[in-house]
Amino acid sequence: MKYRCVRCGRSVYALNGFTCGCGGTLEVVHEFPETSLEVFESRLSLLEGPFRSGVWRYKELIHPRIGADCIVTRPEGNTNLYRRGGVSMYTGVERLQLKHEGENPTGSFKDRGMTVAVSEAVRSGASVVACASTGNTSASMAAYAAQAGLKAVVFIPEGEITYGKLAQALAYGAHVIQVKGSFDDAMRIVKESSMELGFYVLNSLNPWRVEGQKSIVFEILQQRGWEPPDWIAVPAGNLGNTAAFGKALRELKQLGLIEKTPRIASIQAEGANPFYRLWRGKLNHLEAVKPETVASAIKIGNPVSWVKALNTIRETDGVVECVSDAEIMDAKAVVDASGVGCEPASAASVAGAKKLREAAVIGQDEEVVCVLTGHLLKDPDTTVRYHTGAMEDLRPSFANPPKVVDADLRSIEEALG
Ligand code: F0G
């Protein structure tokens, strides 16, 4: 296996500590076998085997050399693209599609990276896998580790992850360690544990996670007949997806499989926006922030993949935007009321598309795919708090509070107006 450090450019041949000696993050360097779009089309009708996965369908572009005996798959991917009039109207983007990654087996996009990184862990003979998480990575890792028979250790910021996600990690049998601190503290501990205890890291610091997440872009393009949209908007926390999307597009272009590249819009929460500050301020180095947002999945102040993500924004003529908690929750309410539904962090992409359309960064006739990263039921508490007006400092625009009535039909008629 060959890896390249995105900071110093050096080639690296083993994932010791998962970073380069200089501290930079690594990316996989492929020698691609011959392939074509027809190969990916031909696999769409398969009913069994790894190629029916919406990740492994693109094996030649993700992990060409791994043997079928190492692949740990549910399968994942094959998530839907939706058009919803209400969301188009709300954002002002008429030609808008929602790519719902919450439809993956454990309810988030993480399964795409996890199937690849866990398979690579099996291939390389790892026995203990570990991650830091705001919840979804731990849920996904716990499920795939259980399937592969690996011991799983998750580090989560104490009291900061939703019960939906915590329940998954516990139920799938992971060792759950609650760290007294933030996600960024948990991430530091995972890095140290990998060096000192030999844990195999399954955060997007592991370049194989990024390889799997490239398939979100591949699948969006395939579902659109390989016709790229003008924009892809994606919520941004630790920046693994933003990194993956740029690599996917760069490689597709290199291979001559696409000509036009969509622009990537990477959307952070206003209270957890170090990447936005870096890009806006034209800084050379990311300055960590103390994160604060209702979207707990992206409550991250010191994202790991910022160098790769910055390459994505530069190469795709992309933008970085940030949106307030109120904008996130109102966008979520609109996505939810369209019947599609998502968790709070996911709606950052839709809130970002609205903001960028209002600022005319996204043009009137441009087509936008917004990635929804997680399922509505990942965080029911926040949804209920929004609709019952129980969120401090946040006035909901689309609240749908439940009504309490006497147990007779007359009162029910009255309540329903
Ligand atoms: N949306 C959701 C629902 C997430 O869970 C995450 C990240 C993101 C967006 C941000 O994606 O890190 O690729 O920029 N969740 C991680 C976790 C950090 O631990 O589950 P990113």
Side-chain angles (χ1 to χ4, degrees):
M1 300 297 166
K2 186 172 168 187
Y3 308 93
R4 189 183 74 87
C5 172
V6 296
R7 188 197 276 176
C8 74
R10 195 184 317 160
S11 295
V12 175
Y13 295 90
L15 282 183
N16 296 330
F18 295 85
T19 49
C20 176
C22 79
T25 46
L26 301 173
E27 67 178 13
V28 177
V29 181
H30 287 296
E31 275 176 41
F32 291 112
E34 188 124 334
T35 194
S36 68
L37 299 182
E38 286 72 39
V39 171
F40 310 137
E41 292 297 317
S42 71
R43 292 173 181 159
L44 284 176
S45 56
L46 294 175
L47 295 177
E48 52 186 343
F51 290 142
R52 102 190 134 115
S53 151
V55 176
W56 294 103
R57 179 156 77 242
Y58 313 101
K59 182 173 187 291
E60 290 78 2
L61 305 179
I62 288 175
H63 202 332
R65 294 204 311 217
I66 195 166
D69 54 326
C70 295
I71 292 179
V72 184
T73 175
R74 285 292 294 270
E76 43 295 305
N78 294 313
T79 59
N80 288 294
L81 263 185
Y82 299 100
R83 287 185 197 278
R84 286 293 178 269
V87 180
S88 289
M89 204 174 326
Y90 178 67
T91 54
V93 180
E94 205 172 305
R95 297 161 73 208
L96 181 144
Q97 292 179 306
L98 301 167
K99 173 69 169 164
H100 204 335
E101 287 300 298
E103 294 172 349
N104 272 291
T106 75
S108 84
F109 72 92
K110 304 286 181 182
D111 296 338
R112 290 182 181 265
M114 207 54 77
T115 179
V116 176
V118 167
S119 299
E120 173 59 18
V122 169
R123 193 201 64 79
S124 64
S127 54
V128 185
V129 293
C131 71
S133 184
T134 56
N136 281 324
T137 299
S138 57
S140 180
M141 186 186 85
Y144 280 81
Q147 185 173 339
L150 300 171
K151 184 168 175 173
V153 186
V154 311
F155 297 89
I156 54 171
E158 187 193 17
E160 297 270 333
I161 80 169
T162 68
Y163 264 24
K165 301 172 189 182
L166 178 60
Q168 285 180 293
L170 296 173
Y172 292 132
H175 295 264
V176 176
I177 315 255
Q178 306 215 53
V179 176
K180 292 183 180 168
S182 65
F183 167 84
D184 303 297
D185 294 314
M187 191 67 235
R188 176 177 49 77
I189 293 194
V190 165
K191 283 190 199 164
E192 287 169 12
S193 75
S194 128
M195 300 296 272
E196 302 288 326
L197 306 174
F199 291 174
Y200 187 92
V201 176
L202 284 174
N203 283 99
S204 52
L205 181 67
N206 182 325
W208 292 103
R209 279 273 315 277
V210 172
E211 290 308 300
Q213 285 164 215
K214 293 189 316 192
S215 67
I216 301 174
V217 165
F218 299 154
E219 204 172 82
I220 289 172
L221 296 184
Q222 184 167 24
Q223 284 168 311
R224 296 170 43 86
W226 301 101
E227 198 51 56
D230 297 294
W231 292 87
I232 298 177
V234 61
N238 216 17
L239 299 173
N241 267 342
T242 305
F245 288 15
K247 190 166 191 277
L249 293 166
R250 189 189 319 140
E251 291 172 348
L252 284 175
K253 249 189 141 175
Q254 247 169 31
L255 291 166
L257 296 174
I258 58 164
E259 283 168 20
K260 189 186 125 185
T261 305
R263 299 173 73 182
I264 302 298
S266 183
I267 317 293
Q268 296 212 286
E270 212 165 73
N273 65 353
F275 188 50
Y276 172 78
R277 288 170 190 235
L278 166 86
W279 185 74
R280 253 295 141 96
K282 298 186 170 51
L283 311 179
N284 291 324
H285 208 83
L286 183 121
E287 286 171 14
V289 303
K290 190 172 181 306
E292 195 48 66
T293 170
V294 70
S296 60
I298 52 175
K299 191 173 171 186
I300 296 173
N302 191 15
V304 159
S305 294
W306 67 267
V307 176
K308 292 179 184 176
L310 193 57
N311 289 340
T312 294
I313 301 300
R314 286 180 178 146
E315 287 170 16
T316 67
D317 189 23
V319 299
V320 186
E321 189 49 271
C322 64
V323 287
S324 68
D325 281 359
E327 289 169 320
I328 288 174
M329 290 308 296
D330 283 345
K332 171 180 149 54
V334 172
V335 172
D336 291 353
S338 79
V340 171
C342 64
E343 71 163 284
S346 304
S349 60
V350 174
K354 175 174 161 62
K355 193 164 178 180
L356 291 169
R357 175 67 201 103
E358 281 166 2
V361 176
I362 292 176
Q364 170 103 56
D365 298 324
E366 287 191 311
E367 198 165 11
V368 182
V369 174
C370 292
V371 179
L372 301 178
T373 42
H375 196 280
L376 168 66
L377 292 177
K378 286 281 192 172
D379 186 1
D381 285 12
T382 305
T383 305
V384 172
R385 284 200 295 129
Y386 175 88
H387 287 291
T388 53
M391 294 187 112
E392 287 158 28
D393 308 330
L394 196 151
R395 206 172 312 132
S397 305
F398 305 101
N400 177 27
K403 300 177 178 81
V404 181
V405 298
D406 290 330
D408 61 74
L409 288 184
R410 178 105 258 123
S411 313
I412 291 168
E413 265 186 316
E414 259 169 40
L416 293 176

